[in-house]
Amino acid sequence: MSTDHSNWNRRDFLYGLGSSIGAVALSSLLACDTKTGQMVSRGPLSPASPMMRAKAKYCIFLTMEGGPSHIDTFDPKPALDKYHLTRFQRQGEKFSAMSSGDRYFVRSPFSSRKVGKSGVDMSAPFVHLADVADEICFYRGCQAESVNHPTAMYHINTGNQFGGEPALGSWISYGLGTMNENLPAFVVLPEVAYPQGGPGNWSNGFLPSHYQGTPLRPEGSPILNINPPPGVSRYHQEESLELLQKLNREHQQMHPNHDELSARIENYELAYRMQMEVPDVIDIEGEDEKTKELYGVGQAETDAFGRKCLLARKLVEQGVRFVQVYSGGWDSHDFLERAHGNLITSIDKPIAGLIKDLKRRGMLDETLIVWSGEFGRTADNGVRENGVAYGRDHNPDAMGMWFAGGGVKAGHIIGATDELGQEAIDVVHPLRDLHVTLLHLFGLDDNKLTYFHGGRHKQLSQFGGQVIKEVIA
Amino acid sequence: MMDFLGAFHPLILHIPIGALLAAFLLELIHHFRKSHALDQAIKILLGFTAVTAIIAALFGYFLSQKGGYQGVTLQIHQWSGIGVALLSTLFFLLKSRLSIQGVWIAWGINLLVLTVAGHFGGSLTHGEDFLIRDAPGFIKTVFSSGDEVITNIDPDSAVVFTDIIQPIVKEKCLSCHNDSKKQGSLDLRNESTWRKGGKNGDLFDPENIEQSLLLHRIFLPLDHEEHMPPEGQQQLIPTEVAMIEWWLENGMPFDKKVGDLHSSGRIAQILQSKFQPFDPFEVITADPIDESVLDEFRSNGITALRISQKSPLLEVRLAGVETIGKDKIDLMKKAKEQIVRIDFHGSGITDAELREIASFPNLVQLSLHQTNITNEGIESLRGLKYLQHLNVHSTRVSDESLNDLIALDQLKSLYVWNTHFSSEAIEQLKSARPGLDLGEVN
């Protein structure tokens, strides 16, 4: 028992201080968690004001699944010519089984040149993209963590390698809602084969289900069962939906905190509204021939990706917040020239067309385009069964990507990799900083865009990160 | 409630300042004339300081939450303010345990932190330069960080001599080097007088640039008789010197543009900060909008968002709305001052409706693409002094609008793809407004 007065005082003070600081922190967290400020009064997808003034309102995320090679696209390494086929050994914990052991360097099968007024690098197979080089901000400093496809995909898409967390598109829809309530806020245009990791790549994770990505199928009817079966009129449908909703609401009243239930009710309504809107939006046949030609629609090599890019523009034009477009098959462990060559050709004209089209329509300023894989590739390849294969392994230490529109520094190269492209050495940032930066471009603060789940306020970057200032105009 | 309490911050904060200073005064007296009563008084005053400082800090926090303040200044003020509350409390509680030396050190720290908090608080309310704004010239020179910022000029097309060098000379040299007062027989008014040089000849020596008459005079120590500008006059600041040096290193060209000269490192940095694009959002002020108005917008199908959560300025989206109609227009008039962007694309807006919209004085961005508006509608936009982005692609707007568009001073981007403009008109536009973004690549 202490009778020392001042001692008691100090403890009391510290206790008081501690609890009051806690209260301050709590109130600011509460304020943050409302993410959407004053504007939200209706559904969870109602449009909301950004936290900070920002240029970007829409995102078209071009995902090159499999991990495109930065060395053979936008970050040429002429020094590799010197070492071509030179053998060496690499061991170490940091490297996966895949990239250790007997190895040899591989030079790029493509020549590279400087394009645009800004003189940025592009490999020879990029023919059309050179036209829009001055609109692009190339970033060479990013580093991923995982060397495996599914975990790396989850990481870039959701900020967490293990999956199960909300995708970037979900977070942005959570923060800003959608501009068109007749369409989903977050649309995914996958390949026929889903990417490694599957639909977890566009999951809403622990966020309310309204924010999950809606995939539109690349072949056949884009959304299964969107059209009523023959013999069911719009009127019939309306009647039965009304009844269904009534029953659902009654059920909901008994389970007021059932988030999935309210999402389900919402989804029925959205699906109904989509019946009106979707067929128009996804019908790219209505576009004039010149525009289709701009995207390479109708040409064998570019048709598939061109259609998706054109559709992405139409969706964004209608107010969809986030469109993710997949191109698959970039995992070139061998036949680099043929595999990467064909893939580059398949995306070159469509992406150039997309940028030109957005630009002339005055949409590029507010649409952020991101081009990225899940990691970069090594400058070397492993000896397998003693054969030499012209390909590259997975490389999380150097991961080239680029941005266009949406308030990024056009016509710049930011950051650098070492002489052989093995590792980022300038303006180096981990993936979480990329996520913080992307949110920032949308006027969202990663530290404030949080959701209480599993006992803590969770955020896209997991535990905070830095804005990559160099890429922002 | 928080807002209400926050408003008392500027009032309350003077109490701990006064109390702490009074306590300090008593401490000084106590130092020379020890007295128990004084010691007690100091203690009471310190306790009082602590309590009021905590209240002031808390109210300050409320005030900052209300918005309107941001940036590093706020950060410094906030943390030093919290520091004052914390330190004065600790001081009050622990003073009796400190040695005499410790007491003085504690005083030093307390007063220092108080000064920092006070100064940055002052900067927040009265502006960064509030202390020296009315100070005599020589004091201003010492404190001025005042780099002229050039707005509205595309950095690459700015002429180095006329847009960068001459403005510096005009401010710092011309008063002594003009046609009526030719000190040292030197007149710096224009290119030809520059070329003439002064009584000692050419200002520029390509053989030995650093020793050129001009740079030599600038680089002489301040107290040297021949230093320019003479001691006691407004001096060049380092970035200005760097600009002049850069210009001479590039051969003192009179017609070259910024984009023509090589710039890197520090020079590139200075140039970048010099050419801040004009930002209308820094200038436009409007009263906060009443929440009930926004509710009304919402229930009438007008999507209106703040441009950022704490801004009074609004962005409206009426894209695809078949008929806009008088009701919506009248409603929007309630936020006439606040609305800075409207997206009408694909809507049924008419020329007559656009004419009404054009009376919204603070419009920065108008999207009218894929609508039925015509040249007549464009004509009504003439008075919009902040209009920076106009999108009329896929409309019937044509050459007749050319002059109305050129007249929009602030216009930075104009999307005219798929309209009825002739290619000659487009060329005319380009030459009248170089740097205007027409949505073309390359």
Side-chain angles (χ1 to χ4, degrees), chain A residues 35 39 50 53 57 361, chain B residues 279 281 304 306 309 315 391:
Chain A
K35 51 107 182 176
M39 301 306 291
R53 181 147 70 88
K57 288 193 166 66
R361 287 167 190 267
Chain B
D279 183 358
F281 297 110
R306 294 166 193 279
Q309 274 175 14
E315 162 175 4
N391 196 339

Side-chain angles (χ1 to χ4, degrees), chain A residues 4 6-7 9-10 13 17 24 27-28 31 35-42 47-54 57-58 117 130-132 134-135 179-180 291 317-319 321 355-357 359-363 365-366 409, chain B residues 2 54 58 61 65 85-86 89-90 92-94 96-97 272 279 281-282 291 294-295 298 303-310 314-315 317 341 343 345 365 369-370 389 391 393-394 413 415-417 437-442:
Chain A
D4 184 345
S6 65
N7 206 8
N9 238 336
R10 187 167 67 228
F13 161 71
L17 188 70
V24 170
S27 84
S28 98
K35 51 107 182 176
T36 44
Q38 315 81 335
M39 301 306 291
V40 170
S41 68
R42 296 176 302 169
S49 310
M51 296 166 181
M52 310 160 265
R53 181 147 70 88
K57 288 193 166 66
Y58 307 101
K117 281 191 216 124
D131 297 348
V132 294
D134 293 325
E135 302 296 334
M179 288 296 197
N180 184 339
T291 303
E317 201 168 32
Q318 295 305 312
R321 222 17 119 181
I355 294 180
K356 289 178 194 167
D357 200 20
K359 177 94 183 171
R360 66 187 185 183
R361 287 167 190 267
M363 293 165 66
D365 251 2
E366 54 184 34
K409 220 182 247 169
Chain B
M2 292 208 336
I54 290 171
L58 199 64
Y61 175 76
Q65 287 304 294
L86 212 74
T89 312
L90 286 176
F92 164 65
L93 294 172
L94 302 177
S96 53
R97 301 180 158 210
Q272 202 180 10
D279 183 358
F281 297 110
E282 299 283 316
E291 214 44 51
L294 293 180
D295 287 339
R298 218 171 278 138
T303 305
L305 300 175
R306 294 166 193 279
I307 63 165
S308 71
Q309 274 175 14
K310 287 181 176 170
L314 300 178
E315 162 175 4
R317 183 179 157 103
R341 286 189 196 139
D343 183 354
H345 95 257
Q365 183 172 355
H369 48 291
Q370 297 158 318
H389 309 283
N391 196 339
H393 90 69
S394 309
S413 60
Y415 300 103
V416 289
W417 169 68
D437 176 4
L438 289 167
E440 298 168 334
V441 286
N442 286 328

Side-chain angles (χ1 to χ4, degrees), chain A residues 110-425:
Chain A
F110 308 124
S111 62
S112 182
R113 81 264 192 229
K114 305 245 176 232
V115 293
K117 281 191 216 124
S118 43
V120 291
D121 303 287
M122 269 185 207
S123 66
F126 284 106
V127 180
H128 301 276
L129 200 66
D131 297 348
V132 294
D134 293 325
E135 302 296 334
I136 301 179
C137 173
F138 295 89
Y139 178 46
R140 295 176 175 173
C142 198
Q143 291 190 323
E145 281 162 35
S146 173
V147 286
N148 296 312
H149 294 291
T151 38
M153 282 302 285
Y154 283 150
H155 197 187
I156 185 152
N157 280 328
T158 70
N160 182 316
Q161 295 185 41
F162 303 112
E165 300 227 345
L168 174 63
S170 306
W171 278 111
I172 290 180
S173 325
Y174 167 62
L176 297 174
T178 178
M179 288 296 197
N180 184 339
E181 294 183 59
N182 297 340
L183 290 171
F186 174 16
V187 171
V188 185
L189 307 178
E191 296 275 28
V192 176
Y194 276 6
Q196 296 215 33
N201 284 300
W202 48 86
S203 156
N204 55 294
F206 44 72
L207 289 178
S209 356
H210 316 272
Y211 304 111
Q212 64 187 289
T214 302
L216 296 186
R217 290 155 27 103
E219 278 172 9
S221 171
I223 299 178
L224 289 178
N225 311 323
I226 183 87
N227 290 320
V232 177
S233 72
R234 190 102 187 132
Y235 170 75
H236 276 129
Q237 218 191 346
E238 221 167 286
E239 293 275 281
S240 45
L241 261 178
E242 218 161 275
L243 177 65
L244 182 64
Q245 295 295 61
K246 190 169 153 252
L247 295 173
N248 271 335
R249 289 233 160 72
E250 277 168 15
H251 184 59
Q252 190 191 20
Q253 262 159 16
M254 293 185 278
H255 309 273
N257 294 324
H258 208 314
D259 157 48
E260 263 90 44
L261 197 58
S262 79
R264 167 174 233 146
I265 294 176
E266 190 91 9
N267 280 347
Y268 277 118
E269 281 169 2
L270 177 63
Y272 179 72
R273 293 195 304 266
M274 272 163 62
Q275 287 181 339
M276 309 280 284
E277 192 101 356
V278 166
D280 274 348
V281 177
I282 57 186
D283 177 23
I284 63 170
E285 297 311 326
E287 292 283 311
D288 65 79
E289 286 309 313
K290 270 195 190 158
T291 303
K292 282 197 250 175
E293 145 71 23
L294 184 69
Y295 285 82
V297 172
Q299 288 153 261
E301 318 82 66
T302 48
D303 187 71
F305 199 70
R307 280 172 183 275
K308 288 199 247 181
C309 285
L310 180 48
L311 181 51
R313 187 220 86 211
K314 284 175 69 92
L315 290 166
V316 163
E317 201 168 32
Q318 295 305 312
V320 172
R321 222 17 119 181
F322 196 103
V323 183
Q324 185 173 27
V325 186
Y326 277 92
S327 161
W330 290 83
D331 193 18
S332 302
H333 288 279
D334 43 24
F335 306 112
L336 185 59
E337 178 164 16
R338 202 178 65 209
H340 259 56
N342 289 344
L343 283 168
I344 292 174
T345 304
S346 75
I347 61 160
D348 174 42
K349 191 172 185 186
I351 299 179
L354 175 66
I355 294 180
K356 289 178 194 167
D357 200 20
L358 288 177
K359 177 94 183 171
R360 66 187 185 183
R361 287 167 190 267
M363 293 165 66
L364 189 58
D365 251 2
E366 54 184 34
T367 307
L368 174 68
I369 304 179
V370 184
W371 183 96
S372 173
E374 66 265 43
F375 38 57
R377 303 202 80 88
T378 52
D380 48 67
N381 209 4
V383 177
R384 274 174 232 164
E385 289 148 23
N386 233 348
V388 166
Y390 293 100
R392 304 187 185 286
D393 281 330
H394 307 171
N395 180 5
D397 295 335
M399 172 183 190
M401 57 178 63
W402 58 254
F403 318 101
V408 298
K409 220 182 247 169
H412 276 76
I413 297 174
I414 308 295
T417 52
D418 62 21
E419 197 194 6
L420 300 179
Q422 297 284 51
E423 192 174 350
I425 51 168

Side-chain angles (χ1 to χ4, degrees), chain B residues 12-237:
Chain B
I12 300 279
L13 68 90
H14 292 101
I15 300 173
I17 298 179
L20 192 70
L21 290 178
F24 184 60
L25 181 71
L26 296 188
E27 185 78 52
L28 286 177
I29 299 174
H30 179 66
H31 182 64
F32 296 108
R33 283 185 49 184
K34 298 258 175 306
S35 116
H36 181 66
L38 269 180
D39 202 38
Q40 285 300 310
I42 293 170
K43 228 179 166 168
I44 292 170
L45 273 176
L46 276 180
F48 186 60
T49 306
V51 172
T52 51
I54 290 171
I55 297 176
L58 199 64
F59 286 11
Y61 175 76
F62 293 156
L63 184 61
S64 72
Q65 287 304 294
K66 197 178 155 202
Y69 299 102
Q70 63 242 114
V72 195
T73 316
L74 174 66
Q75 295 282 314
I76 299 177
H77 176 65
Q78 179 180 333
W79 290 109
S80 51
I82 293 174
V84 170
L86 212 74
L87 285 168
S88 58
T89 312
L90 286 176
F91 195 24
F92 164 65
L93 294 172
L94 302 177
K95 185 159 184 267
S96 53
R97 301 180 158 210
L98 293 176
S99 65
I100 296 198
Q101 223 179 3
V103 167
W104 288 115
I105 292 173
W107 270 116
I109 297 174
N110 265 290
L111 292 173
L112 184 78
V113 177
L114 179 76
T115 314
V116 172
H119 175 77
F120 284 93
S123 300
L124 275 181
T125 33
H126 309 299
E128 302 284 9
D129 58 342
F130 75 110
L131 275 182
I132 52 164
R133 202 176 297 138
D134 301 317
F138 69 95
I139 295 185
K140 266 194 191 163
T141 321
V142 176
F143 284 98
S144 115
S145 56
D147 228 342
E148 283 282 307
V149 171
I150 303 168
T151 51
N152 292 334
I153 304 181
D154 170 34
D156 288 336
S157 60
V159 177
V160 180
F161 175 64
T162 39
D163 292 322
I164 298 179
I165 305 299
Q166 225 30 21
I168 302 174
V169 169
K170 207 166 151 193
E171 196 193 338
K172 310 252 163 113
C173 323
L174 222 54
S175 55
C176 300
H177 297 290
N178 54 53
D179 58 338
S180 55
K181 193 175 171 194
K182 268 193 198 153
Q183 297 284 22
S185 312
L186 181 63
D187 177 355
L188 292 176
R189 273 175 314 146
N190 52 45
E191 177 179 343
S192 66
T193 63
W194 266 87
R195 286 189 189 279
K196 272 198 198 114
K199 66 171 190 266
N200 285 311
D202 269 352
L203 296 174
F204 175 62
D205 176 4
E207 302 297 310
N208 190 352
I209 294 173
E210 288 295 298
Q211 284 306 314
S212 293
L213 185 55
L214 183 71
L215 283 183
H216 175 70
R217 290 295 188 114
I218 291 173
F219 285 140
L220 283 173
L222 181 60
D223 55 1
H224 192 287
E225 226 180 307
E226 296 193 331
H227 172 85
M228 282 297 138
E231 200 175 359
Q233 299 298 315
Q234 238 211 95
Q235 292 298 310
L236 293 173
I237 59 172

